Amino acid sequence: MLTIYCISLYKLILLLAYKIPHLLELGINAVELLPIFEFDELELQRRPNPRDHMINTWGYSTINFFAPMSRYASAGGGPANASQEFKQMVKALHSASIEVILDVVYNHTNEADDPNPYTTSFRGIDNKVYYMLDDKGQLLNFSGCGNTLNCNHPVVMELILDSLRHWVTEYHVDGFRFDLASILCRGTDGSPLNAPPLIRAIAKDAVLSRCKIIAEPWDCGGLYLVGSFPNWDRWAEWNGKYRDDVRKFIKGDSGTKGSFATRVSGSSDLYRVNKRRPYHGINFVIAHDGFSLHDLVSYNLKHNEANGEGGNDGCNDNFSWNCGFEGETDDTSIRALRSRQMKNFHLALMVSQGIPMMLMGDEYGHTRYGNNNSYGHDSAINFLLWDQLDARKGDHFRFFSNVIKYRLGHKIFSHENFLSENEITWHEDNWDNYESKFLAFTLHDKSGGDVYLAFNAHDYFLKVLLPTPPTKRRWYRVVDTNLESPDDLVLDGVPGIGKTYSIAPYSSILLEAKF
């Protein structure tokens, strides 16, 4: 049962190994590293442009598919040291039972576009083979980065497969997340394929058969394949619909209760096809691109002025809510509401069927001050700030880590198959009420250790009648996000819960049936 932690590895190979105790304390058992293949760190500074003050810190500009970023080695140690230290890091993480998943970029390279070509490799070898071109010989751009790798050409396909096998056999990584993976589903002319040869080959490859393979099932050309990514019952997907539907419900949008229920119960509308299971959906509220969790509840609008593009970059559809004030504030009531909302999001994520993924820094409430496209900032905006983590160890971090550990200790949240009627009861007769923003349900355990969950996205208190607990058991309160730390989460549970419970505005509860 994975809990994925999405992390930027910028200049951190050995440092990450030293920070394993933090990952273990948080409850993480898998890290997804942003691109670590050798990439063009200074691509934004080739020529005068509005972004030439920035550095590519996220790594989405691949130069070499077979080597770790040389400048990730300690003290600028070079490619040999980078390779050796990366192996040491993977070994250390594996020793702590933490899997390593690489974010890989096979959709484009650093060789830019036609107006500003930057020939470093494939464009000088065989442009027509390695890149998708239109009928005039111009580069097609489904990546948003000027070029598109010709992934399903036999030569390019073999290059990608050799690269993947190399990282498994030489570096012993456990899996891959494929950036803009819908591009891998396009033919040599850019048209979508129903059975892409590369996707099938990765799924069927003998070396890659033991790996996790995760698609980001969309691209910048509009090919959106969430729930319909060609999969051969092997490919998992970043569940973008989970992100959007959960954001909308928790912030209080009307008419979203049914979608929220579908998402937390495993997105069967997307993944109950052939032999697919709930774990083929990677659930997330926050990823590296977009708002951090803190900013999701602190900003209605993106604030990307520092990127130099006049605020035109970054996603506009954030489904965020600033809780009454845009940006940082000393207002205690707004700060309390934001804290509650972050807990609500985290609880929803960790009780959902499927694989949860969270972003580095959300465990202490990291802010990028409203920047939802921070790819080019080599600064605190993208760093994990250990002093802030230490300052919030007793409240925010405590809640986040204990919710993860509660999930790991209860298999009821990670069913192998989609939930049957005997495994979940919806306490709901109001599905068609557009204005209803309350959802409650019970997950049933064969041994009787049922779990009751309720989410109130209304701006007022709701007094609810609790279901009768299993025979000889009674309800214990484990979570109430409206309470102050440490009462907001008590792993052993608090007894004395009556037949009703008053649930505060914008809050959620978790009760466990115990003897």
Side-chain angles (χ1 to χ4, degrees):
M1 180 167 58
L2 291 183
T3 302
I4 300 175
Y5 185 73
C6 185
I7 183 171
S8 170
L9 193 63
Y10 192 56
K11 298 179 181 175
L12 268 183
I13 286 185
L14 280 183
L15 182 58
L16 178 57
Y18 295 141
K19 297 301 183 180
I20 286 175
H22 167 64
L23 298 175
L24 294 177
E25 185 180 6
L26 181 56
I28 296 299
N29 55 20
V31 292
E32 179 186 299
L33 308 179
L34 264 64
I36 56 87
F37 294 0
E38 184 74 27
F39 64 87
D40 193 349
E41 188 177 33
L42 301 178
E43 67 168 347
L44 303 173
Q45 302 178 17
R46 292 178 193 150
R47 64 188 186 281
N49 69 90
R51 302 183 296 166
D52 60 12
H53 60 292
M54 296 194 294
I55 294 173
N56 185 330
T57 61
W58 283 359
Y60 292 95
S61 189
T62 309
I63 295 176
N64 187 322
F65 296 116
F66 293 84
M69 183 66 169
S70 57
R71 285 171 296 288
Y72 279 179
S74 58
N81 283 348
S83 177
Q84 184 62 34
E85 290 178 8
F86 189 86
K87 292 177 181 179
Q88 293 172 8
M89 181 194 70
V90 172
K91 186 176 181 179
L93 288 165
H94 282 172
S95 295
S97 298
I98 299 173
E99 295 189 8
V100 179
I101 298 170
L102 302 184
D103 186 343
V104 291
V105 188
Y106 294 112
N107 57 74
H108 77 284
T109 73
N110 72 310
E111 294 195 286
D113 53 18
D114 286 314
N116 300 286
Y118 189 63
T119 303
T120 58
S121 179
F122 301 124
R123 294 191 72 167
I125 296 172
D126 197 335
N127 195 44
K128 293 181 179 179
V129 166
Y130 286 97
Y131 294 104
M132 293 183 192
L133 307 176
D134 64 18
D135 54 7
K136 296 180 181 179
Q138 298 296 294
L139 290 167
L140 294 171
N141 181 17
F142 298 109
S143 66
C145 298
N147 64 71
T148 308
L149 208 63
N150 198 7
C151 302
N152 283 296
H153 187 287
V155 172
V156 184
M157 207 171 109
E158 196 57 37
L159 172 77
I160 293 172
L161 289 168
D162 284 344
S163 168
L164 292 168
R165 296 181 192 118
H166 174 72
W167 288 97
V168 173
T169 58
E170 183 70 18
Y171 292 93
H172 303 290
V173 302
D174 302 282
F176 306 92
R177 176 266 189 188
F178 292 79
D179 180 61
L180 298 180
S182 289
I183 284 176
L184 280 60
C185 301
R186 294 183 181 271
T188 56
D189 63 352
S191 60
L193 302 173
N194 291 327
L198 176 60
I199 298 300
R200 183 187 186 281
I202 292 172
K204 300 293 184 180
D205 188 84
V207 173
L208 304 177
S209 63
R210 63 181 183 271
C211 294
K212 276 80 176 176
I213 48 176
I214 304 168
E216 181 184 34
W218 52 80
D219 65 21
C220 294
L223 188 56
Y224 187 79
L225 297 174
V226 174
S228 59
F229 191 86
N231 55 78
W232 284 271
D233 299 324
R234 279 271 289 122
W235 282 82
E237 302 175 16
W238 268 24
N239 189 347
K241 291 185 178 180
Y242 179 97
R243 172 199 60 207
D244 297 345
D245 289 343
V246 171
R247 286 185 178 193
K248 291 175 186 177
F249 177 82
I250 295 294
K251 80 183 185 73
D253 283 1
S254 299
T256 60
K257 178 170 61 177
S259 297
F260 178 71
T262 300
R263 299 297 157 240
V264 298
S265 59
S267 295
S268 60
D269 62 326
L270 302 176
Y271 302 118
R272 183 149 50 187
V273 179
N274 299 327
K275 296 180 181 179
R276 303 194 88 186
R277 307 290 181 85
Y279 54 73
H280 284 111
I282 307 300
N283 299 326
F284 67 103
V285 177
I286 303 296
H288 64 282
D289 52 350
F291 282 145
S292 68
L293 185 59
H294 173 278
D295 292 358
L296 185 70
V297 301
S298 304
Y299 294 89
N300 285 349
L301 305 171
K302 64 185 181 182
H303 295 267
N304 296 356
E305 293 79 11
N307 297 355
E309 298 185 49
N312 293 317
D313 64 306
C315 181
N316 293 316
D317 300 322
N318 298 293
F319 306 116
S320 61
W321 177 43
N322 64 19
C323 295
F325 184 86
E326 187 74 357
E328 302 306 303
T329 179
D330 292 328
D331 187 302
T332 55
S333 62
I334 292 176
R335 289 167 65 94
L337 176 56
R338 289 175 178 177
S339 175
R340 200 155 69 242
Q341 286 290 78
M342 285 190 280
K343 293 175 185 178
N344 293 334
F345 278 120
H346 188 62
L347 180 65
L349 177 64
M350 290 300 158
V351 301
S352 295
Q353 303 296 318
I355 304 297
M357 182 187 78
M358 64 175 291
L359 177 66
M360 175 186 82
D362 282 346
E363 67 268 33
Y364 66 82
H366 182 81
T367 182
R368 295 170 176 161
Y369 301 100
N371 192 321
N372 76 347
N373 192 30
S374 63
Y375 65 97
H377 294 282
D378 179 15
S379 68
I381 199 172
N382 278 321
F383 299 162
L384 194 147
L385 304 177
W386 298 98
D387 57 338
Q388 291 189 19
L389 171 66
D390 290 341
R392 302 212 62 184
K393 271 292 182 73
D395 46 40
H396 186 97
F397 175 85
R398 173 189 172 275
F399 181 91
F400 272 56
S401 62
N402 281 338
V403 170
I404 294 173
K405 291 167 185 174
Y406 188 83
R407 173 187 173 86
L408 293 174
H410 293 76
K411 294 183 179 180
I412 201 170
F413 302 120
S414 56
H415 283 263
E416 287 284 314
N417 298 299
F418 291 99
L419 296 172
S420 68
E421 292 183 358
N422 296 326
E423 292 169 327
I424 187 169
T425 297
W426 300 103
H427 306 294
E428 182 61 57
D429 55 9
N430 217 6
W431 290 110
D432 296 327
N433 184 347
Y434 183 78
E435 296 303 325
S436 176
K437 304 173 185 179
F438 175 79
L439 183 71
F441 58 96
T442 297
L443 294 170
H444 300 293
D445 182 79
K446 291 181 180 179
S447 64
D450 288 5
V451 171
Y452 171 88
L453 286 142
F455 294 85
N456 180 18
H458 286 288
D459 58 1
Y460 51 82
F461 276 87
L462 282 175
K463 187 175 183 180
V464 299
L465 179 66
L466 299 177
T468 303
T471 304
K472 297 184 179 180
R473 301 201 181 215
R474 52 182 176 157
W475 292 118
Y476 281 65
R477 188 196 75 232
V478 177
V479 173
D480 184 337
T481 60
N482 184 55
L483 300 177
E484 295 291 329
S485 181
D487 296 326
D488 54 354
L489 192 154
V490 179
L491 285 173
D492 291 333
V494 177
I497 306 301
K499 294 182 179 181
T500 62
Y501 199 104
S502 186
I503 305 177
Y506 299 111
S507 68
S508 48
I509 66 169
L510 184 156
L511 310 179
E512 183 178 349
K514 303 177 70 171
F515 290 113

